[in-house]
Amino acid sequence: MTAATAVPPATRTGAVATLAVSLALIGANALAYGFTVLAARTLTPASYGELAALLGVLLVAVVPANGLQTAGALAMAGSRAGVGPRELHSAGLVTAAAVAALAALAAPLVGVLLHLPDPRTALWLAVLLVPHLVVGAHLGILQGTERFARLAAVTVAFTGAKTAGAVIGLLVAGTPAGALAGMTAGALAGALVGWLGCGAPRPGPGWRPPAVAGLSAAAALLGFVLLSGLDVLLARHWLSAGAAGEYAVGAIIVKVVFWLPQGVGVVLLPRLADPADRRRALLAALGVVGGLGAVLTLGTAAVGARALPLIGGAAYGSGIGGAAWVFAALGTLLALAQLLLYSGIAAADRVPGGAVWLAVGAETAAVAGLAAAGWLSPTTVAVAAAAVVAALVVTGLLRHARGTRRPGAGR
């Protein structure tokens, strides 16, 4: 029997699905990165700063879409009574309307906080949230029913349409508002593709349970989004401009190591809906992500002091030197923490979500303590962030090993 035939079909299917989703997510991030490079070269520094700030707000504002996708996928995979494509599609429409309305009300405040020349530009974010929330529901349908090839296709189509619209708006108008207007038009077209891709479900009753579950998941995921980028914000606040710039280049390593295994989490999530399969599936996913992260961390350590100059040029690396591997370790730990958070959401366990918010506070306090002690540097900020996330991972693993969850979880 050959090695190929010795691999169980389910394992091969899971590997192919993971690869397809991973490539789709990498492609989506590559498109987003390409647009930011084009925008930086097209707009003036002041205008690019305005657009970058608005896109940073959007990154946080779309967390409810991620929560809806996560909760919807779990409900679909677990065959939860009363939750199907029609209900999840309706939840997406209702949540989109509610979140967009709140964003529109907050637009004047966003304009003031970001010092926007025209506060009305922030209104584009409110409109842009609608297709993001709707497609979040559609991706949840595809993920929950394990149609991963179609999920990958919808992901690429949505991001591609959104990016194409943004590029057209940027080149035609030459302003942040033009870029956001084009992005909105492209995202609406991409959401239409997502609706068709998941079977064009019609709205139906019963939207409230998946909508409420989506917002609950979003609360935990919002904490993780903040945690995953907190080190860069703290470095910017506490370090000198040059040291903060060097840290930002090191943070690219964190993002690469964190994003490479994202397909594992997407494929894992539906299996977490089954309490009987949750423990085995999570351990396997942790092993794959941890193993990949260990290889990347060792590889970064082998490159040593040349790692940052390879990414950002000769101007970077003097303050971090051979400690670039710490950034790879931080990316690995964040990927493991995300898997454990998904497991907690699947088990209706609120402790992991609360622990993430505690980690945000702990990391903030740790870096402030380093600054007060005079021990602050790009390396010590990365070490502090890695230590806090490592404690979060260890706590999650201990809870997993003990099988601790609140009464009624996982039923």
Side-chain angles (χ1 to χ4, degrees):
M1 184 163 51
T2 66
T5 57
V7 180
T11 302
R12 293 200 301 271
T13 301
V16 171
T18 301
L19 179 61
V21 174
S22 296
L23 290 176
L25 292 173
I26 291 171
N29 281 280
L31 287 172
Y33 175 75
F35 170 71
T36 59
V37 171
L38 176 64
R41 298 189 177 207
T42 302
L43 299 171
T44 64
S47 293
Y48 177 70
E50 177 185 345
L51 178 62
L54 287 166
L55 292 178
V57 173
L58 179 66
L59 184 65
V60 176
V62 298
V63 170
N66 300 332
L68 190 59
Q69 177 183 345
T70 300
L74 288 168
M76 294 286 293
S79 300
R80 191 168 300 170
V83 179
R86 294 185 63 188
E87 289 76 18
L88 193 51
H89 175 61
S90 297
L93 294 175
V94 173
T95 307
V99 173
L102 290 175
L105 292 174
L109 178 61
V110 172
V112 171
L113 292 176
L114 299 183
H115 307 290
L116 302 180
D118 185 356
R120 291 175 297 180
T121 304
L123 287 172
W124 282 113
L125 293 182
V127 185
L128 189 52
L129 287 173
V130 172
H132 277 91
L133 266 296
V134 173
V135 87
H138 298 156
L139 291 175
I141 294 171
L142 295 174
Q143 187 178 5
T145 53
E146 301 191 36
R147 289 178 282 176
F148 295 116
R150 189 168 293 191
L151 184 146
V154 169
T155 299
V156 172
F158 178 77
T159 307
K162 184 177 74 170
T163 305
V167 169
I168 294 172
L170 176 67
L171 297 179
V172 171
T175 63
L180 290 175
M183 184 178 291
T184 302
L188 288 169
L192 176 61
V193 173
W195 177 66
L196 295 172
C198 68
R202 294 173 297 165
W207 58 267
R208 189 181 298 274
V212 172
L215 292 176
S216 177
L221 293 173
L222 178 59
F224 187 81
V225 168
L226 180 57
L227 179 65
S228 63
L230 182 62
D231 58 321
V232 178
L233 297 177
L234 293 174
R236 179 70 181 176
H237 178 75
W238 288 107
L239 297 174
S240 65
E246 182 159 314
Y247 191 96
V249 174
I252 295 175
I253 299 175
V254 179
K255 290 182 174 62
V256 170
V257 176
F258 173 70
W259 274 105
L260 276 178
Q262 285 298 296
V264 175
V266 173
V267 175
L268 166 73
L269 189 66
R271 296 182 62 188
L272 295 178
D274 181 4
D277 195 29
R278 185 178 301 140
R279 182 182 298 272
R280 182 173 61 254
L282 179 61
L283 287 177
L286 290 170
V288 171
V289 171
L292 176 61
V295 170
L296 293 172
T297 301
L298 290 173
T300 305
V303 175
R306 294 171 295 166
L308 261 65
L310 284 174
I311 297 172
Y316 299 96
S318 59
I320 293 176
W325 66 270
V326 177
F327 292 87
L330 175 57
T332 302
L333 290 166
L334 283 169
L336 294 173
Q338 186 182 51
L339 293 177
L340 290 165
L341 179 60
Y342 281 153
S343 179
I345 293 173
D349 186 358
R350 296 182 179 180
V351 172
V356 168
W357 283 102
L358 287 176
V360 170
E363 186 174 323
T364 303
V367 174
L370 289 173
W375 295 339
L376 205 61
S377 71
T379 302
T380 58
V381 172
V383 169
V388 170
V389 181
L392 183 64
V393 171
V394 170
T395 301
L397 290 173
L398 289 175
R399 284 181 59 80
H400 179 73
R402 295 170 183 170
T404 304
R405 59 178 183 246
R406 70 176 182 82
R411 290 180 183 176

